[in-house]
Amino acid sequence: MNSSLVGNQSGRPFCLLAISYLETINFCLLEVVIIVFLMVLIISGNIIVIFVFHCAPLLNHHTTSYFIQTMAYADLLVGVSCLVPSLSLLHYPVVLSESLVCQIFGYVVSVLKSVSMASLACISIDRYIAITKPLTYNTLVTPWRLRICILFIWLYSCLVFLPSFHWGKPGYHGDVFQWCANSWNTDPYFTLFIVVMLYAPAAFIVCFTYFNIFRICQQHTKEINERRVRFSSQDGEAGEAQPCPDKRYAMVLFRITSVFYILWLPYIIYFLLESSNVYSNRIASFLTTWLAISNSFCNCVIYSLSNSVFQKGLKRLSGAICASCARQRVAKDSSTSRSKRSSNGCHV
């Protein structure tokens, strides 16, 4: 099982990444660096995403913005929750018992990542409805239905992992807590329960919807190009290929979904292997866990690099911040110059 700061006979902290111990530092340096680095990236990146969505009204025209913002808030909370293992690795004293802290932290992280996974599945369903039923989309997908769906996502995620307090270790391995490593075992039946109730349905929905989305987009693109070629041949002009208008936005969301499952796949595989007592390794547990958690920052990068409207909102936000800083600097310089003139007048 994965371990934590279990001291050995020499009194040194037990570090999962064995190269991280230094004689002058009484904690696992490399683990702390990795967790704190990810925590800073996740918190700062998702705060920027949330601010951009509030400052760019065009982004809110898409119904998927509800789910993107839900993911951003969930990922932000993941970054904040990473403060718990950071303080634990630094031997910061806690009021609650280690077993309770471990269970709460594992439950919270599992719920938050479940919210992200369910939101990605809902995004794919939303895009599927938009492409297959464009005429009735606005009547089917309304703001209040989206809010109910988001509330259901949070409630469902909380309920799915609630049995972890009595049944066994959930979909997160508490790599930095000693109690998690030694006493909180993975139950194969609980693992099967999570796979059936969360992992498998979400993956099936994503694969089914995006497969049909791209298939329909290819058909639309082929039909549009055939029409353009037919009309251009009649007019004597060469027609240019016209891509499906929904395909570009679907590709952005598909990249976010793909990266999510790519980063979480190693951990899910390890989770299944450990649950079935086939393979268990401390280093693999730590690396796969925090590789999966790093996805909370990757969503910000993908969306900022792929969405032109988001880029415009980000430029507007940065421009507003720079203009505010410039105004404060000018006001400070003017007040300084006035104070100098007044002081010079007093000395005359």
Side-chain angles (χ1 to χ4, degrees):
M1 299 298 292
N2 43 357
S3 186
S4 67
L5 301 176
V6 184
N8 54 22
Q9 294 180 354
S10 61
R12 297 180 179 180
F14 182 86
C15 299
L16 294 168
L17 308 178
I19 61 174
S20 58
Y21 179 76
L22 297 178
E23 295 290 341
T24 57
I25 301 178
N26 192 31
F27 59 84
C28 301
L29 180 61
L30 189 55
E31 283 88 336
V32 172
V33 170
I34 292 174
I35 295 175
V36 172
F37 179 70
L38 287 177
M39 180 179 66
V40 172
L41 288 180
I42 292 170
I43 293 176
S44 58
N46 285 284
I47 286 177
I48 292 173
V49 170
I50 292 169
F51 271 110
V52 170
F53 267 95
H54 284 288
C55 296
L58 289 176
L59 285 170
N60 293 319
H61 288 178
H62 293 285
T63 54
T64 52
S65 66
Y66 285 84
F67 298 111
I68 294 291
Q69 292 182 70
T70 300
M71 290 175 56
Y73 281 109
D75 291 336
L76 176 62
L77 292 175
V78 169
V80 173
S81 65
C82 288
L83 184 63
V84 176
S86 302
L87 295 177
S88 176
L89 283 169
L90 292 172
H91 293 176
Y92 192 85
V94 293
V95 178
L96 302 176
S97 63
E98 185 183 20
S99 60
L100 184 59
V101 172
C102 169
Q103 287 181 313
I104 293 175
F105 177 69
Y107 173 77
V108 168
V109 173
S110 300
V111 168
L112 293 175
K113 299 317 298 178
S114 173
V115 169
S116 296
M117 189 177 296
S119 297
L120 289 172
C122 289
I123 287 173
S124 65
I125 295 174
D126 175 82
R127 290 298 87 199
Y128 179 76
I129 297 174
I131 292 177
T132 56
K133 299 181 179 180
L135 298 179
T136 58
Y137 174 78
N138 291 329
T139 58
L140 292 174
V141 182
T142 58
W144 69 270
R145 286 181 178 177
L146 291 172
R147 294 187 183 98
I148 292 176
C149 182
I150 291 172
L151 179 62
F152 176 77
I153 288 173
W154 282 94
L155 291 176
Y156 184 79
S157 300
C158 292
L159 292 175
V160 165
F161 288 97
L162 195 60
S164 64
F165 289 96
H166 300 285
W167 201 346
K169 189 180 295 183
Y172 169 79
H173 294 262
D175 296 285
V176 299
F177 298 104
Q178 180 177 357
W179 187 87
C180 278
N182 298 333
S183 303
W184 203 15
N185 297 322
T186 304
D187 189 284
Y189 294 103
F190 186 47
T191 302
L192 180 63
F193 173 77
I194 295 174
V195 170
V196 172
M197 299 299 293
L198 180 63
Y199 294 161
F204 173 78
I205 289 172
V206 167
C207 293
F208 174 81
T209 53
Y210 278 114
F211 174 79
N212 285 279
I213 285 172
F214 290 118
R215 181 178 58 82
I216 294 170
C217 282
Q218 286 181 346
Q219 292 177 354
H220 287 177
T221 303
K222 184 179 179 181
E223 293 174 359
I224 292 172
N225 292 337
E226 289 177 352
R227 292 175 184 175
R228 289 178 65 88
V229 169
R230 189 182 307 117
F231 286 113
S232 62
S233 62
Q234 294 176 358
D235 298 335
E237 297 178 357
E240 296 180 357
Q242 184 69 28
C244 176
D246 293 317
K247 188 174 181 179
R248 184 176 180 181
Y249 190 62
M251 279 299 299
V252 176
L253 303 174
F254 179 72
R255 291 190 193 105
I256 293 176
T257 306
S258 300
V259 171
F260 180 91
Y261 280 97
I262 288 172
L263 294 178
W264 272 87
L265 185 60
Y267 175 73
I268 294 174
I269 293 174
Y270 177 82
F271 182 43
L272 296 175
L273 292 176
E274 188 189 69
S275 301
S276 57
N277 296 322
V278 174
Y279 177 76
S280 179
N281 182 272
R282 294 187 177 101
I283 297 177
S285 177
F286 181 86
L287 293 179
T288 55
T289 295
W290 292 98
L291 177 66
I293 290 178
S294 68
N295 174 257
S296 297
F297 172 71
C298 294
N299 291 337
C300 314
V301 177
I302 297 170
Y303 207 74
S304 60
L305 294 178
S306 303
N307 191 288
S308 58
V309 179
F310 185 90
Q311 293 172 3
K312 293 178 182 178
L314 184 59
K315 291 179 180 178
R316 183 181 302 176
L317 177 62
S318 59
I321 294 174
C322 293
S324 177
C325 294
R327 286 194 298 268
Q328 291 179 359
R329 191 179 298 109
V330 170
K332 185 177 180 180
D333 293 340
S334 61
S335 62
T336 303
S337 61
R338 283 197 301 268
S339 62
K340 287 183 179 179
R341 290 196 202 100
S342 61
S343 60
N344 291 335
C346 294
H347 287 292
V348 174

